[in-house]
Amino acid sequence: MIRVLVLVSLLLCILCMSGGLGLKEDANMSSCNEKERQALLDVKANLNDLLGHLDDWGSQEELDCCTWLAVRCNHMTGHVIKLDLGYVVELYDLGFYDSRVTDLTSLTYLDLSQNLLGGVIPKSFGNCSSLLHLDLSQNLFSRTFPSFAGCSSLTNLSLAHNSLSGSMPDFTQCTSLKYLDLSSNLLSGNMPNSVCKLSNLEYVDVGHNSFDGSIPDFTQCTSLKYLDLSSNFLSGNMSGSVGQLTNLEYLDVGHNSLNGSIPNFLGCPSLWFLDMSSNHLFGNVPNSVGQVSNLRFLDFSSNSLEDSVPDWFWDQPLELNFLNISSNEIHSILPDMMYFFHDFPGMDLSNNHFNGRVPSLPSLAALNLSGNRFSGTLSFLCNFDSALTFLDLSNNSLSGSLPNCWMRFQEKLVVLNLSNNNLSGKIPSSLGFLYNLEALYLQANKFVGEVPMSLRNCRRLRFVDHGENKLSDIIPKWIGEELSELYVLVLGSNRFYGMLPSQVCWLYNIQVLDLSNNGLSGNIPRCFDNFTAMARKIFGGDKITNHSYSSFIGSFMCISLPLACPNQPRELAQFIDNAWVTWKGTERLFGRSGLQLLKSIDLSRNNLSGKLPYEITRRIPTGSQLQRFIYTSYSGNPQLCGPPLSPRCGLPPPPTTIVVGKEVVEEDEGDFWKSYYTGMGVGFVVAFCGICGALFLNRGCRHFIFALLSYMKDWIYVTVVVHFGKLGRMFRR
């Protein structure tokens, strides 16, 4: 209680002192500078204030611009020092920003982010000598941007997420610059060395541009903590100077064309995030990486690393939050890591050559061991912590039955992928406890029995692939009744039998339905026109095909309360669905944007019968899509008719009755019209040939015809002249 009273007393003293100072300043100050007031009104004239935030600017009641919303002045001089319009306004017609803002030379803070401003960045912004903070990010500025040689006081500059092109400007004069964000633009060329001479620089992000050449020497940036050069076209060896930045905490050079070996990072004791993925690095992981004790996130995936994981990796008690060395050529047997990693929640070792059994693992939030040569059973899963959100063991040689301990993951598991293994037995009912499960891949195994009814509890499921197993029984009705979020359902190449339940038509979000190669019988339900999602060009987009999961323990807390864990990644990881679909007789893998656009119903290789319902044609697209399928795509249906098949659809036409002499003959309608038109053609040819022959062979006939035509011509001419003469005389009277 005493401590609280002391704090309250101090706060009151501070408020009194600031109030007294404020009164003194208010007594001495005048209204804002008139020149700067007019400049602000010019700014308002070019902005579209959607919510009326700037209505008081220039009103009779508010003549002093220092009292306007988003404007801050120096109380002693009256000069405008801060203009914060972020999230507030929008430029008319995406036009050019008014150049008269040059009068705001005393401005120290300018924020125009996320306002859809377009055109060219005014040159005047580069001449504000008092400017400390400039944020023009997430707009539509294009072309090159001005020189900032006049901004000697500038400390924070963000031009990210625009369409700026050309080379990076010279920041030599910006000696006070601490924060520089030029990411997600169209900048190109080499990175200038002038950036590397700014000793006060702490944050640099130029990722997602088109810079090329080598990484410059950053050794003079002794204060640098954050460096993001990812998603460019940088090449050459990884600069060893980066490994000597003693204050560096975050380094991302992923998705470039860097080659050579991984440099030494012993000079970066504070480094916790290291991403060098998707380059052309080769050799082994150096021992120096294992000596960076603060390392939490490590990604060396999609390179050409080889040999085996070094011994130090398993011997050191690293506290990594995420490890990714997938898509390399690493050969190794994983040791038992339960005692080596105390807090190692995320691991991606996919697409390598790891073999043997999967060892005992520590508490994990995400595990991806797909695309390796692991064997043995899945009994180790029952030792996992309940924090698991993502598990991918696909494309291995794992065998045995699934353990019945899935209830321990009911709170967080989002993606479960066990496809392409040798797993067998029945699908355990405990999978029904995975209430947050969104994607379930069990394809290409040897599972038997029925789909457990407990899966009806997993109502967040959007993707289910049980294809290429030995599952049997009827198609469950509860799939349509309970799993309404499904957009992909694959049960093909199993042993299901019986009729298709009408409840399947309740899957309004379905885009891919594969029930092929089973023993289904009966009619196709007439309610297939309920699949309304198939009638849309893109349904749901990334929100449907992507699944967000935590790649490290505590990530949900860190995202909601980022200050609680400053040294942790901020974003959730993403898993993107993919599906094997038979398309035009060939099995193809669809993923990313392809799966968003795909609409497919496959009922082939069953025992279905009856008429093809008319309702199934109501989403079928018009145009040439279906006409491109060859006739073999419809083979095995002897009573199917219509293009591109040769049999014509419909009942045969009724016969027609014709009289030949005294006999009555019944003739098919098609044969009658064929005979009729054939007779007409033959008659015309005979008559034409007869007339022409008479003219050429008989001279008397020829003279008679020509004389007759000449007489008719003269008669018509005289008749016309006489009638026109009579009409002329009548009008003259």
Side-chain angles (χ1 to χ4, degrees):
M1 178 63 72
I2 295 176
R3 183 177 299 176
V4 173
L5 291 175
V6 172
L7 291 175
V8 172
S9 302
L10 288 174
L11 180 61
L12 290 175
C13 292
I14 292 173
L15 291 174
C16 291
M17 292 176 64
S18 62
L21 291 174
L23 290 173
K24 185 176 180 180
E25 290 174 1
D26 292 340
N28 294 331
M29 70 169 286
S30 60
S31 61
C32 71
N33 184 285
E34 180 61 24
K35 200 174 184 180
E36 296 179 349
R37 181 177 179 275
Q38 290 300 322
L40 289 174
L41 292 177
D42 290 336
V43 171
K44 177 185 176 182
N46 285 274
L47 297 176
N48 180 14
D49 184 8
L50 299 178
L51 300 178
H53 290 293
L54 308 184
D55 287 348
D56 64 339
W57 282 28
S59 63
Q60 292 295 327
E61 296 80 10
E62 298 291 348
L63 295 177
D64 185 2
C65 69
C66 292
T67 63
W68 295 351
L69 179 70
V71 178
R72 298 293 180 269
C73 295
N74 185 307
H75 291 293
M76 298 299 295
T77 64
H79 285 298
V80 176
I81 60 174
K82 180 178 180 179
L83 181 60
D84 187 353
L85 298 177
Y87 304 94
V88 175
V89 290
E90 178 181 322
L91 195 67
Y92 278 123
D93 300 325
L94 306 181
F96 293 87
Y97 196 85
D98 198 294
S99 60
R100 287 171 288 183
V101 78
T102 52
D103 294 329
L104 297 173
T105 54
S106 300
L107 197 67
T108 63
Y109 187 100
L110 177 58
D111 186 350
L112 297 173
S113 62
Q114 302 191 41
N115 281 300
L116 298 181
L117 303 178
V120 181
I121 298 177
K123 295 182 179 179
S124 56
F125 287 176
N127 298 323
C128 298
S129 56
S130 301
L131 194 62
L132 300 177
H133 181 107
L134 175 60
D135 190 348
L136 304 178
S137 62
Q138 302 192 49
N139 282 291
L140 300 174
F141 290 116
S142 60
R143 306 182 213 173
T144 58
F145 42 84
S147 169
F148 292 94
C151 299
S152 56
S153 301
L154 191 65
T155 60
N156 289 61
L157 175 63
S158 179
L159 303 173
H161 297 278
N162 281 283
S163 298
L164 298 169
S165 58
S167 58
M168 185 188 296
D170 189 351
F171 291 102
T172 304
Q173 304 300 322
C174 302
T175 55
S176 302
L177 197 61
K178 294 183 178 180
Y179 182 99
L180 177 63
D181 189 352
L182 306 178
S183 61
S184 299
N185 278 285
L186 303 174
L187 303 176
S188 58
N190 293 338
M191 290 185 60
N193 291 323
S194 60
V195 179
C196 304
K197 298 178 181 179
L198 303 176
S199 58
N200 292 317
L201 207 57
E202 297 180 0
Y203 183 105
V204 176
D205 188 351
V206 294
H208 297 275
N209 279 285
S210 299
F211 290 115
D212 53 21
S214 59
I215 298 177
D217 189 348
F218 282 94
T219 51
Q220 297 186 41
C221 299
T222 55
S223 301
L224 195 60
K225 296 181 179 179
Y226 185 105
L227 179 59
D228 190 340
L229 308 176
S230 63
S231 299
N232 281 284
F233 299 99
L234 300 174
S235 58
N237 291 336
M238 181 68 190
S239 176
S241 63
V242 177
Q244 304 303 317
L245 299 174
T246 56
N247 292 309
L248 191 63
E249 299 178 358
Y250 185 106
L251 176 61
D252 189 351
V253 294
H255 298 273
N256 280 286
S257 298
L258 300 172
N259 52 41
S261 58
I262 299 174
N264 191 318
F265 287 99
L266 288 177
C268 304
S270 302
L271 190 66
W272 68 268
F273 185 101
L274 178 58
D275 188 344
M276 305 181 72
S277 61
S278 299
N279 280 284
H280 304 301
L281 303 174
F282 55 81
N284 298 328
V285 180
N287 292 333
S288 60
V289 176
Q291 299 176 21
V292 182
S293 58
N294 288 317
L295 201 59
R296 297 291 181 271
F297 184 101
L298 179 61
D299 191 344
F300 288 151
S301 62
S302 300
N303 280 286
S304 298
L305 302 177
E306 54 189 2
D307 202 3
S308 61
V309 178
D311 293 337
W312 62 262
F313 190 85
W314 313 121
D315 295 336
Q316 297 293 326
L318 296 177
E319 296 184 356
L320 287 173
N321 284 322
F322 188 74
L323 167 67
N324 189 348
I325 53 175
S326 64
S327 300
N328 283 284
E329 292 292 325
I330 298 176
H331 297 72
S332 183
I333 297 178
L334 292 184
D336 195 315
M337 295 179 288
M338 181 64 75
Y339 302 103
F340 296 141
F341 298 97
H342 304 294
D343 295 302
F344 189 10
M347 179 189 293
D348 188 346
L349 307 180
S350 62
N351 298 315
N352 282 287
H353 298 285
F354 289 104
N355 55 70
R357 66 178 184 87
V358 179
S360 298
L361 295 169
S363 299
L364 291 170
L367 176 63
N368 190 349
L369 302 180
S370 64
N372 283 286
R373 301 171 182 173
F374 288 110
S375 58
T377 67
L378 299 182
S379 57
F380 63 90
L381 292 176
C382 295
N383 298 323
F384 273 27
D385 191 87
S386 60
L388 191 68
T389 65
F390 175 88
L391 178 62
D392 190 346
L393 303 176
S394 62
N395 296 290
N396 279 285
S397 300
L398 299 169
S399 59
S401 59
L402 289 184
N404 198 21
C405 57
W406 297 99
M407 64 284 293
R408 65 189 301 113
F409 309 117
Q410 61 182 340
E411 296 180 359
K412 294 185 177 180
L413 192 61
V414 174
V415 176
L416 176 60
N417 191 348
L418 303 176
S419 60
N420 287 288
N421 280 284
N422 295 317
L423 300 172
S424 58
K426 292 187 176 181
I427 300 176
S429 59
S430 59
L431 283 177
F433 286 96
L434 303 178
Y435 304 124
N436 290 311
L437 195 64
E438 297 178 4
L440 177 58
Y441 290 75
L442 300 179
Q443 179 240 0
N445 281 285
K446 300 176 182 177
F447 292 116
V448 298
E450 62 182 10
V451 179
M453 185 178 292
S454 60
L455 282 180
R456 66 189 304 170
N457 300 323
C458 306
R459 298 182 179 179
R460 300 187 64 178
L461 274 172
R462 301 202 301 264
F463 189 107
V464 170
D465 189 347
H466 291 350
E468 299 182 56
N469 280 286
K470 298 179 181 180
L471 299 174
S472 58
D473 207 356
I474 60 174
I475 301 293
K477 296 180 180 180
W478 53 261
I479 290 182
E481 295 171 344
E482 305 292 345
L483 305 184
S484 59
E485 297 296 320
L486 281 179
Y487 84 100
V488 171
L489 175 61
V490 179
L491 299 177
S493 299
N494 278 284
R495 299 174 180 175
F496 292 105
Y497 55 86
M499 299 182 63
L500 273 175
S502 60
Q503 286 82 355
V504 172
C505 300
W506 297 4
L507 299 174
Y508 303 109
N509 294 323
I510 202 72
Q511 287 183 228
V512 177
L513 178 63
D514 184 358
L515 304 178
S516 63
N517 197 20
N518 280 286
L520 301 176
S521 59
N523 297 332
I524 298 177
R526 299 184 59 181
C527 56
F528 267 29
D529 56 348
N530 289 349
F531 298 150
T532 54
M534 290 193 177
R536 306 177 192 177
K537 290 185 177 180
I538 298 181
F539 177 75
D542 291 340
K543 294 181 180 179
I544 294 294
T545 60
N546 288 10
H547 306 278
S548 300
Y549 65 92
S550 170
S551 60
F552 62 99
I553 291 178
S555 66
F556 293 103
M557 179 187 70
C558 292
I559 290 173
S560 59
L561 298 172
L563 296 179
C565 40
N567 291 333
Q568 303 289 358
R570 298 283 184 267
E571 298 180 357
L572 291 173
Q574 297 286 330
F575 175 78
I576 302 174
D577 285 324
N578 59 86
W580 286 97
V581 178
T582 300
W583 187 257
K584 295 186 178 181
T586 304
E587 193 174 34
R588 303 181 183 181
L589 181 64
F590 288 83
R592 295 186 179 273
S593 59
L595 197 56
Q596 299 174 21
L597 299 171
L598 182 65
K599 280 82 176 177
S600 172
I601 298 178
D602 192 348
L603 304 177
S604 62
R605 289 169 291 173
N606 278 286
N607 296 320
L608 298 171
S609 58
K611 292 184 178 180
L612 199 64
Y614 168 76
E615 288 78 8
I616 203 173
T617 65
R618 293 184 181 177
R619 69 218 166 270
I620 293 181
T622 57
S624 60
Q625 292 90 342
L626 295 182
Q627 285 69 33
R628 293 176 182 172
F629 287 90
I630 60 176
Y631 71 93
T632 56
S633 300
Y634 306 92
S635 61
N637 297 282
Q639 299 184 31
L640 194 64
C641 58
L645 301 177
S646 55
R648 297 173 57 187
C649 293
L651 296 174
T656 57
T657 304
I658 59 176
V659 178
V660 180
K662 296 182 179 181
E663 296 184 7
V664 178
V665 180
E666 291 187 352
E667 184 177 49
D668 204 38
E669 183 181 5
D671 296 335
F672 169 76
W673 286 110
K674 184 185 295 185
S675 302
Y676 175 77
Y677 289 121
T678 302
M680 286 185 62
V682 171
F684 174 79
V685 171
V686 170
F688 181 79
C689 293
I691 294 173
C692 292
L695 291 175
F696 281 104
L697 299 176
N698 192 324
R699 179 179 298 180
C701 181
R702 185 165 62 247
H703 285 294
F704 175 77
I705 293 295
F706 288 152
L708 180 62
L709 292 176
S710 178
Y711 172 78
M712 292 178 63
K713 180 192 70 171
D714 294 338
W715 180 82
I716 293 172
Y717 174 76
V718 171
T719 302
V720 171
V721 170
V722 170
H723 280 81
F724 271 99
K726 289 182 180 180
L727 288 174
R729 287 193 295 272
M730 290 176 60
F731 282 115
R732 282 196 296 270
R733 291 177 184 175

